[in-house]
Amino acid sequence: MSFLDTTIARTLPLVPKPIVGQVSKRYIAGAAVEDALRVGSSLNSKGILATLDVLGEHIHHASEAEAAVEQYVQTLHAISQRGLQANVSVKPTAIGLRLDPELCFRGMLQIADTAARYGNFVRIDMEDSACTEDTIALFLRVQERHPNVGIAIQAYMRRTRDDVRRLAKTRTNVRLCKGIYNEPRAIAFKDRDIIRRNFALALDDLFAAGCYVGIATHDEHVVWDALRLIEKHGLTREQYEFQMLLGVDEQLRQILVDAGHRLRVYVPFGRSWYAYSLRRLRENPKIGGYIVKSMFHRR
Ligand SMILES: Cc1cc2nc3c(=O)[nH]c(=O)nc-3n(C[C@H](O)[C@H](O)[C@H](O)COP(=O)(O)OP(=O)(O)OC[C@H]3O[C@@H](n4cnc5c(N)ncnc54)[C@H](O)[C@@H]3O)c2cc1C
């Protein structure tokens, strides 16, 4: 983390809310489900799939977890009504993982039940390392009842290849990403090249086990490795997808779409967009750098 990144992260919370809103607009669809549906529909018209994420903040009461579950249920209804090519991504802490794992399990089941009714799919996001084991345990329990659920795995974690072996046994649908939280070196790789190489190794293992993988990256080195592995395993276009965040490297996104790869964009939305933006900045000051860069970059 550079001095500049840290300084930006510390001072951005002092920036007036409308300005944070202006720059966040590129990365966040808006406050309402209607905003996410509009962005999802626009992506679909360009041949791009979406995954909708209801932004949540740290919660303190079961009622907040239940409200988040209800928002996901409503979002799944709306996706179906509009005929959107979109699924949902859920952060376990937003539906109570840290409050009460049983409450979280019941909420995740309710979301997965609703998705199953519409023939849709639920992705469980991976959060910081304090949640890794509980998130995998939650996923495995939900997966026993619902095949329409997948999980995200982070290539920067030292434990990742073991987790991949575990998940490969049930041919899990995995989103593979580098990982976004600031983790201690004892549990996560810090070196950029090692993270890339670990990403490629994990992807190779997942493909070898016949898993469907969402390759979530904007790093062209990683994309290049992934393309080689897709070729090596002789995969068809239905056996994997690329995934990118809303507003990030739309040129690379278009290159992949034009080459005929399935591509899904992660579309965050919700009333907590402001608190969420600040929290992500604190978790990973590099994002502050991206936001500041985007302020000077004419689109
Ligand atoms: C669809 C999707 C889902 C994800 N889900 C999770 C998850 O569940 N858990 C988790 O820990 N992490 C998640 N992430 C984040 C991921 O772990 C990385 O932190 C993030 O994608 C940056 O890594 P990169 O592979 O793009 O490579 P980097 O080398 O970090 O980025 C490559 C380039 O992409 C651009 N870029 C990357 N991220 C951003 C950004 N946020 N804003 C603006 N520009 C950016 C920069 O120009 C950068 O140079 C997800 C990422 C994606 C794309």
Side-chain angles (χ1 to χ4, degrees):
M1 181 190 321
S2 73
F3 174 71
L4 183 65
D5 287 338
T6 314
T7 311
I8 289 168
R10 291 218 176 107
T11 51
L12 260 172
L14 305 175
V15 175
K17 193 170 170 179
I19 295 181
V20 176
Q22 198 54 35
V23 285
S24 299
K25 223 162 60 185
R26 180 167 170 181
Y27 306 105
I28 295 170
V33 66
E34 210 37 62
D35 297 316
L37 296 172
R38 185 180 27 80
V39 170
S41 161
S42 154
L43 289 165
N44 283 179
S45 69
K46 296 173 190 149
I48 297 172
L49 308 164
T51 184
L52 308 191
D53 165 49
V54 182
L55 295 175
E57 259 315 285
H58 289 307
I59 61 164
H60 305 283
H61 302 288
S63 59
E64 294 170 287
E66 284 155 7
V69 169
E70 185 52 31
Q71 273 193 290
Y72 273 106
V73 167
Q74 292 307 327
T75 302
L76 284 161
H77 287 312
I79 289 172
S80 166
Q81 267 177 357
R82 300 285 175 97
L84 277 193
Q85 294 287 311
N87 59 35
V88 293
S89 289
V90 185
K91 289 192 174 47
T93 61
I95 60 163
L97 186 74
R98 287 206 183 106
L99 279 183
D100 172 2
E102 281 308 307
L103 171 79
C104 180
F105 173 63
R106 287 196 302 276
M108 196 62 87
L109 266 190
Q110 201 183 329
I111 297 170
D113 276 340
T114 310
R117 233 181 307 133
Y118 292 122
N120 208 335
F121 177 84
V122 181
R123 172 77 60 196
I124 302 181
D125 285 347
M126 186 58 78
E127 300 172 83
D128 63 87
S129 57
C131 303
T132 311
E133 196 51 46
D134 289 345
T135 301
I136 294 176
L138 168 74
F139 164 74
L140 291 172
R141 276 181 82 189
V142 179
Q143 192 195 36
E144 277 174 20
R145 304 213 203 160
H146 284 293
N148 62 319
V149 173
I151 190 169
I153 289 291
Q154 300 150 324
Y156 67 9
M157 296 289 279
R158 292 179 188 268
R159 57 178 285 166
T160 282
R161 294 198 66 213
D162 291 334
D163 290 335
V164 161
R165 276 187 274 274
R166 209 163 138 200
L167 296 167
K169 285 187 194 142
T170 48
R171 293 182 79 190
T172 296
N173 182 321
V174 173
R175 171 197 297 148
L176 186 60
C177 61
K178 284 185 184 173
I180 203 163
Y181 302 89
N182 282 320
E183 299 290 358
R185 186 176 170 205
I187 56 169
F189 297 113
K190 294 289 176 186
D191 182 278
R192 209 177 152 76
D193 288 334
I194 293 178
I195 296 169
R196 282 178 176 149
R197 287 167 72 183
N198 211 41
F199 195 118
L201 285 172
L203 186 57
D204 200 10
D205 291 345
L206 289 164
F207 281 158
C211 297
Y212 183 97
V213 187
I215 307 155
T217 185
H218 322 90
D219 181 345
E220 198 154 356
H221 287 85
V222 174
V223 169
W224 188 85
D225 277 337
L227 292 173
R228 258 184 347 133
L229 289 169
I230 288 163
E231 210 173 271
K232 172 182 150 187
H233 289 277
L235 301 182
T236 64
R237 301 283 149 105
E238 293 73 39
Q239 291 176 293
Y240 64 90
E241 66 187 40
F242 284 94
Q243 298 186 350
M244 295 176 70
L245 300 173
L246 184 66
V248 179
D249 202 343
E250 290 173 14
Q251 191 175 25
L252 178 60
R253 184 169 103 180
Q254 197 55 47
I255 290 169
L256 290 169
V257 172
D258 289 346
H261 301 286
R262 198 182 261 183
L263 193 136
R264 187 178 304 275
V265 166
Y266 191 98
V267 179
F269 75 97
R271 283 192 300 273
S272 317
W273 66 267
Y274 179 70
Y276 172 85
S277 304
L278 296 186
R279 182 160 65 86
R280 293 307 283 260
L281 288 167
R282 276 193 293 273
E283 275 161 3
N284 189 350
K286 267 193 167 169
I287 293 174
Y290 298 142
I291 289 181
V292 167
K293 265 188 237 155
S294 79
M295 287 169 85
F296 296 100
H297 181 261
R298 268 211 208 109
R299 296 211 290 149

